[in-house]
């Protein structure tokens, strides 16, 4: 049994549009960079695409009923920017959630940039930040009477690194360090949107505690550089109004926009990272964490990393740190319905979160990634993160043991 979380602590699950919706040409949706990338040979495992995914666009009532059965307080989903000309689907989704007593928490950008904007330079072009703010204002006008809390961007570091530096995600650019302007334009987009959205605004960052591979000075220096790129590049500007390194393209006034007050910071945590010095094009490389169990994806399972991360954020940002929500945590498993490793993973991470809360971190909620098995980007459908399994040939949903475990924990919590 999990320790008791305080009254008002939000428990939810997370998904994202391209990973679950399918229906990529329905009702006026424009092509996105992920349509282009996934349809280009060699970019995804087995050539998998999000064309159908979980067909959530058509099956959303059934999926929202699963949320009710699970007993979550809130649902984090993302709005597809390529659907901006017709937001009816999200109108229905939000109404469907509210009718079921579940709080909607939409993310405005989970990596599905309209291809037309990529053709004009994508996130290397400052104009994309302004276009994002217009899109955000449009969504705010349509849903702001019912949605009171928003996440602007999901994991800008992953989008910059995998999408623009290494080319392993859409749009598949391989600019290495020349991808840095993407960070600034994403953060500017966040700030501009935060000034236009009605209600409370958050940014979701993927964060990882970084440990040097050895006591060597060179490994320590490499770990500090990696921490700068992965964590501080996206945390410092929103909380301190500064960058931890030289970032091109910053104009007068930009940092004030980026530091527009946020209601909370969203943190996606999966694992810590161990770093050694390297001589390649980058001065660091990742090395395995010895002795740690790994998930089906090969990611190390280190729940204490979440405690270290949360208490470290409190130490680093002190008064500047807003309340925190864990907006993603979970693991891929290949056990099918009997997903004991996922139960163990979630149990241990919820306990670590609780410990951080007890030690003074202002943690307000915890969202599990993910409700459903879904399109895991360049890994296609092989990695399964769902509390609910999906048979992608038939679209049949099957509740895993982890679903029942979380449902029982939440029932116990409500009955107390
Ligand atoms: O599936 C992704 C999600 O889109 C962003 N955060 C990490 C998850 C697991 O890789």
């Amino acid at each position: 049994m999990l320790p008791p979380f305080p009254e008002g602590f939000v428990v939810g699950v997370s998904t994202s549009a391209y990973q679950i919706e399918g229906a990529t040409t329905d009702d006026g949706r424009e092509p996105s960079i992920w349509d282009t990338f996934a349809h280009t040979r060699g970019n995804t495992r087995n050539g998998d695409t999000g064309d159908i995914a979980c067909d959530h666009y058509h099956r959303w009532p059934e999926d929202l009923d699963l949320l009710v059965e699970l007993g979550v307080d809130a649902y984090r989903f993302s709005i597809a920017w390529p659907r901006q000309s017709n937001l009816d689907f999200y109108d229905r989704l939000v109404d469907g959630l509210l009718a079921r007593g579940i709080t909607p928490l939409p993310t405005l950008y989970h990596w599905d940039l309209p291809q037309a904007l990529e053709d004009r330079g994508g996130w290397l072009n400052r104009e994309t930040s302004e276009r994002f703010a217009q899109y955000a204002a449009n969504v705010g006008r349509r849903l702001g009477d019912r949605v009171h809390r928003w996440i602007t961007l999901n994991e800008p570091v992953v989008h910059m690194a995998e999408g623009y530096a290494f080319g392993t995600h859409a749009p598949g650019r391989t600019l290495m360090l020349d991808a840095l302007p993407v960070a600034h334009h994403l953060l500017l987009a966040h700030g501009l949107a935060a000034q236009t959205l009605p209600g409370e605004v958050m940014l979701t960052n993927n964060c990882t505690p970084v440990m040097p591979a050895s006591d060597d000075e060179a490994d320590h220096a490499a770990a500090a550089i990696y921490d700068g790129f992965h964590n501080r590049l996206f945390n410092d500007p929103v909380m301190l109004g500064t960058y931890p390194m030289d970032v091109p393209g910053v104009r007068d006034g930009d940092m004030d926009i980026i530091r527009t007050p946020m209601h909370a910071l969203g943190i996606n945590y999966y694992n810590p990272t161990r770093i050694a010095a390297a001589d390649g094009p980058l001065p660091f490389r990742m090395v395995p964490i010895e002795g740690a169990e790994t998930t089906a994806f090969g990611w190390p399972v280190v729940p204490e990393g979440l405690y270290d991360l949360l208490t470290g954020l409190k130490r680093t940002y002190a008064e500047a740190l807003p309340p925190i929500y864990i907006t993603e945590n979970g693991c891929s498993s290949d056990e099918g319905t009997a997903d004991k490793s996922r139960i163990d993973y979630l149990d241990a991470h919820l306990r670590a979160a609780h410990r951080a809360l007890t030690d003074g971190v202002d943690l307000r909620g915890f969202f599990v990634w993910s409700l459903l098995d879904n399109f895991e980007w360049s890994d296609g459908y092989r990695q399964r993160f769902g509390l609910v399994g999906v048979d992608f040939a038939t679209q049949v949903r099957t509740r895993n043991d982890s679903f029942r475990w979380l449902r029982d924990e939440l029932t116990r919590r409500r009955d107390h």
Side-chain angles (χ1 to χ4, degrees):
M1 200 167 84
L2 287 171
F5 283 87
E7 179 92 27
F9 187 87
V10 177
V11 177
V13 289
S14 287
T15 63
S16 93
Y18 190 72
Q19 293 180 271
I20 65 166
E21 284 179 1
T24 50
T25 55
D26 284 34
D27 304 327
R29 181 187 177 279
E30 331 162 32
S32 84
I33 55 173
W34 266 100
D35 299 308
T36 310
F37 186 81
H39 278 274
T40 304
R41 186 189 289 272
N43 280 346
T44 64
R45 184 179 291 274
N46 298 324
D48 289 347
T49 73
D51 288 1
I52 299 173
C54 307
D55 195 30
H56 172 75
Y57 193 82
H58 301 114
R59 293 167 195 264
W60 64 268
E62 177 191 348
D63 293 338
L64 297 201
D65 289 345
L66 284 166
L67 296 177
V68 176
E69 189 182 327
L70 188 55
V72 288
D73 308 304
Y75 175 49
R76 173 179 178 239
F77 59 97
S78 84
I79 295 178
W81 190 350
R83 295 197 199 278
Q84 66 180 327
S85 66
N86 182 349
L87 295 170
D88 291 357
F89 170 71
Y90 301 107
D91 210 49
R92 291 193 292 271
L93 191 73
V94 164
D95 283 345
L97 285 165
L98 294 174
R100 289 167 176 82
I102 296 167
T103 304
L105 178 59
T107 301
L108 289 171
Y109 186 66
H110 200 121
W111 308 346
D112 45 0
L113 185 70
Q115 181 63 45
L117 291 180
E118 179 58 28
D119 295 343
R120 298 166 64 98
W123 288 107
L124 291 160
N125 181 353
R126 186 180 169 99
E127 197 190 308
T128 301
S129 314
E130 278 142 34
R131 299 291 288 273
F132 180 73
Q134 288 158 7
Y135 152 65
N138 184 24
V139 175
R141 273 191 298 274
R142 183 70 187 268
L143 303 178
D145 55 338
R146 287 153 290 155
V147 170
H148 307 300
R149 189 173 297 154
W150 312 84
I151 297 173
T152 52
L153 313 176
N154 178 69
E155 298 182 354
V157 66
V158 177
H159 196 41
M160 175 194 75
E162 301 226 26
Y164 287 85
F166 307 134
T168 42
H169 278 188
R173 308 286 306 266
T174 49
L175 300 169
M176 300 304 277
L177 290 175
D178 290 339
L180 262 183
V182 168
H184 184 60
H185 296 147
L186 281 164
L187 286 162
L188 189 61
H190 155 78
L192 290 168
Q195 296 185 341
T196 148
L197 284 164
E200 298 175 339
V201 174
M202 301 166 56
L203 169 71
T204 276
N205 278 336
N206 179 300
C207 291
T208 181
V210 182
M211 48 180 113
S214 75
D215 286 340
D216 258 37
E217 217 173 283
D219 287 344
H220 274 263
I225 295 172
Y226 185 84
D227 183 46
F229 277 107
H230 193 107
N231 299 312
R232 293 189 43 210
L233 180 57
F234 295 91
N235 284 333
D236 284 11
V238 288
M239 289 184 274
L240 307 177
T242 54
Y243 280 117
M245 62 190 73
D246 284 341
V247 172
V250 181
R251 297 191 190 161
D252 280 356
D254 284 1
M255 299 316 287
D256 291 335
I257 295 172
I258 291 172
R259 202 174 35 164
T260 300
M262 292 192 296
H263 159 70
L265 177 68
I267 296 288
N268 293 355
Y269 171 79
Y270 289 90
N271 52 259
T273 308
R274 188 160 167 249
I275 290 293
D279 293 332
L282 295 174
F284 48 76
R285 69 190 164 87
M286 287 178 199
V287 292
I289 297 178
E290 281 150 21
E293 270 176 51
T294 52
T295 69
F297 218 155
W299 296 356
V301 179
V302 188
E304 311 81 71
L306 178 57
Y307 176 85
D308 295 344
L309 174 67
L310 293 173
T311 50
L313 284 168
K314 187 171 152 64
R315 265 196 310 279
T316 306
Y317 296 104
E319 295 304 307
L321 182 69
I324 294 177
Y325 288 79
I326 305 298
T327 39
E328 285 182 27
N329 176 253
C331 68
S332 91
S333 146
D334 51 15
E335 298 152 299
T337 322
D339 56 345
K340 180 169 181 316
S341 69
R342 181 175 289 115
I343 296 175
D344 292 345
Y345 183 100
L346 291 173
D347 181 273
H349 284 79
L350 276 155
R351 282 174 200 281
H354 188 271
R355 225 155 33 85
L357 209 151
T358 309
D359 289 349
V361 174
D362 187 0
L363 184 65
R364 304 280 178 96
F366 191 108
F367 289 72
V368 173
W369 183 270
S370 182
L371 173 64
L372 303 165
D373 289 342
N374 58 50
F375 176 74
E376 179 54 26
W377 308 113
S378 39
D379 284 89
Y381 292 98
R382 164 136 153 219
Q383 299 301 333
R384 293 177 172 268
F385 278 86
L387 297 170
V388 175
V390 176
D391 176 334
F392 292 103
T394 61
Q395 291 297 340
V396 168
R397 274 79 166 133
T398 304
R399 294 154 188 78
N400 291 332
D401 286 352
S402 58
F403 179 94
R404 282 183 278 274
W405 169 80
L406 185 58
R407 180 199 62 195
D408 292 350
E409 286 290 345
L410 294 175
T411 309
R412 228 189 320 273
R413 180 172 176 229
R414 253 192 319 277
D415 292 348
H416 253 74

